[in-house]
Amino acid sequence: MILVIGGRSKIGSALVADLLDRGEQVRVLVRAAEADSSGGLGGSEGLGGSVGSGGAVAETVVGDLADEGSLVAAMDGVEKVFLLSSPHPDAVRWHRNAIDAARRSEVGLLVRSSILGADRGSPADFINAHTECDRYLEKSGLPFVIVRPNLFLQNIPESTIPSIGADGAFYGDAGEARISMVDTGDVAAVAAVVLTEPGHAGAGYDVTGPEALSYADVAAQLAESLGRPVSYVDVPDDAVRQALLGAGLTAWFADALIGLYQDYRRSGRDGYAAQVTGTIADLTGRPPRSLADLLAGTAPL
Ligand SMILES: NC(=O)c1ccc[n+]([C@@H]2O[C@H](COP(=O)([O-])OP(=O)(O)OC[C@H]3O[C@@H](n4cnc5c(N)ncnc54)[C@H](OP(=O)(O)O)[C@@H]3O)[C@@H](O)[C@H]2O)c1
């Protein structure tokens, strides 16, 4: 039995479907409020991607990363755990709870979804929190794998495209930094391999897309895909902060995002975020999805 924590995230839902397709028994941790609002437990309703292509369904268990006792209960009979959560001011405590629960439950492998750059030390809070969690896991004595994905390609259709104004411009504070953005389905495929195939315990994998793109490069691809002029305009952090707050993000989230992009800028055009690794092809046997692939499969917006 594999317990997936964060099973309704983009990576998590694709992972659950992949594991079911591989014939694994899967349990998804859901928070009580979400379980109630999704029409009850035990079925696929409300769990979107939790159904394999053959019709197999994941079971669900109620729990919360803030409550270690609920995690120990959720890990009853579980051999392996996949751990991911939303970015949150309490995320380090949450992930420590899950690692402690896995140790108490004598879980055989914990795979943690981290972020590219977490192994190098960074002033950005988003990355720092992952570094702290990864170090805690490495010292826990549990067999582990750490998966470090770069920025998600899915941010482009979900956030960038809707932000394009009537003048064709979208705004950001990435400067000239190039980022090898990665498809979340590809990250899930890597996680499925390390969870189900032997020989990965103790490894850390940097997971990137096939090409490093600046936001000017993204604008050029969007213009091509949307069939109209699109341009990227770099603006000061304060302007981005106001826009993020205006879009309803909390001050903590807005500042964490700005810190991440400051880190991209600081690392430069060919910095750490521009690296292209062979992890996806090496582990899954297929090439990583590009922005062009994603845009070709995305309904026009
Ligand atoms: N966005 C990027 O470009 C990017 C790039 C690299 C790495 N990352 C990292 O990827 C991770 C996921 O980010 P995301 O934006 O994809 O997340 P997300 O869509 O917000 O999903 C997060 C998942 O965490 C679960 N969760 C949140 N709080 C929980 C709690 N207290 N107890 C149990 N489960 C909880 C959510 O459950 P519910 O479904 O019940 O809400 C959801 O399934 C983060 O660690 C982030 O730092 C993000």
Side-chain angles (χ1 to χ4, degrees):
M1 174 72 75
I2 300 176
L3 175 69
V4 177
I5 301 176
R8 289 194 279 202
S9 65
K10 286 182 280 292
I11 293 174
S13 56
L15 172 64
V16 171
D18 201 332
L19 292 173
L20 291 171
D21 286 346
R22 286 169 177 258
E24 299 289 338
Q25 283 187 295
V26 183
R27 183 180 293 165
V28 179
L29 186 92
V30 297
R31 288 179 288 174
E34 283 78 17
D36 289 340
S37 66
S38 69
L41 299 172
S44 60
E45 195 182 346
L47 276 174
S50 305
V51 184
S53 54
V57 174
E59 60 179 67
T60 56
V61 63
V62 176
D64 195 303
L65 283 162
D67 173 5
E68 189 186 332
S70 75
L71 301 174
V72 171
M75 288 180 196
D76 186 35
V78 163
E79 289 131 31
K80 299 172 190 173
V81 172
F82 175 79
L83 172 58
L84 170 152
S85 76
S86 348
H88 189 278
D90 295 333
V92 173
R93 186 170 59 83
W94 290 355
H95 283 238
R96 286 182 173 205
N97 284 345
I99 293 163
D100 290 346
R103 198 172 39 201
R104 280 170 61 188
S105 307
E106 299 181 353
V107 159
L109 181 71
L110 190 148
V111 176
R112 205 185 89 80
S113 191
S114 179
I115 193 167
L116 193 80
D119 58 336
R120 87 190 214 289
S122 161
D125 283 348
F126 257 156
I127 299 184
N128 241 333
H130 279 294
T131 306
E132 228 181 293
C133 296
D134 290 345
R135 298 245 160 95
Y136 193 77
L137 176 58
E138 285 161 357
K139 289 182 184 154
S140 68
L142 273 173
F144 69 87
V145 180
I146 296 171
V147 174
R148 292 185 290 263
N150 206 350
L151 200 68
F152 301 159
L153 270 176
Q154 275 72 11
N155 298 332
I156 304 295
E158 288 179 9
S159 304
T160 306
I161 294 178
S163 77
I164 297 173
D167 59 355
F170 68 91
Y171 300 87
D173 54 357
E176 294 190 346
R178 295 188 309 139
I179 304 167
S180 53
M181 303 172 197
V182 66
D183 182 89
T184 51
D186 286 339
V187 182
V190 165
V193 168
V194 301
L195 278 162
T196 58
E197 298 179 13
H200 299 285
Y205 291 111
D206 290 333
V207 190
T208 78
E211 57 190 341
L213 299 172
S214 68
Y215 277 91
D217 298 330
V218 170
Q221 290 207 31
L222 289 177
E224 173 87 22
S225 163
L226 300 175
R228 58 187 166 98
V230 178
S231 59
Y232 169 67
V233 181
D234 210 58
V235 294
D237 289 343
D238 275 352
V240 171
R241 188 171 197 276
Q242 289 314 314
L244 293 174
L245 294 176
L249 268 67
T250 64
W252 176 84
F253 207 154
D255 287 339
L257 272 177
I258 286 167
L260 182 67
Y261 278 84
Q262 285 170 342
D263 203 30
Y264 289 146
R265 285 202 310 265
R266 207 179 294 115
S267 92
R269 186 175 157 72
D270 298 310
Y272 82 94
Q275 67 182 286
V276 171
T277 67
T279 303
I280 291 168
D282 292 347
L283 268 65
T284 71
R286 53 183 166 78
R289 224 166 155 216
S290 65
L291 178 58
D293 296 333
L294 182 68
L295 294 174
T298 303
L301 293 161

